[in-house]
Amino acid sequence: MDRAHECPTRESRLVDKRWHKSSHSANGGECVEVSEGEAVRVRDTQNRDLGYLTVPAPEWSALVGALRGR
């Protein structure tokens, strides 16, 4: 099927398609990328083809806030 004609899934509507590298990723190969929206996707920069985790945005914000408070 031509992907341009696929119906969007609920997840595809909730997540911004633009990925960006985490500001805390090091140059030593321990990098993650995130795509943020109503849901947040997280993937390993070096293994993009292995998929990603999806987390509701409020839970992602709580995690990031807790890590910043360390």
Side-chain angles (χ1 to χ4, degrees):
M1 175 182 254
D2 181 5
R3 294 185 69 75
H5 294 94
E6 287 182 15
C7 293
T9 64
R10 173 170 162 61
E11 181 180 337
S12 70
R13 290 189 302 268
L14 296 178
V15 178
D16 185 338
K17 298 292 191 257
R18 293 170 292 197
W19 291 90
H20 62 275
K21 188 174 175 181
S22 168
S23 61
H24 294 285
S25 291
N27 290 329
E30 299 174 1
C31 304
V32 297
E33 295 175 323
V34 296
S35 176
E36 300 174 85
E38 289 182 43
V40 177
R41 295 186 297 180
V42 183
R43 69 182 178 191
D44 182 345
T45 301
Q46 292 185 344
N47 296 294
R48 293 178 179 130
D49 58 326
L50 295 178
Y52 51 84
L53 301 173
T54 302
V55 183
E59 282 80 358
W60 178 256
S61 293
L63 173 65
V64 172
L67 292 173
R68 286 183 179 156
R70 293 174 23 161

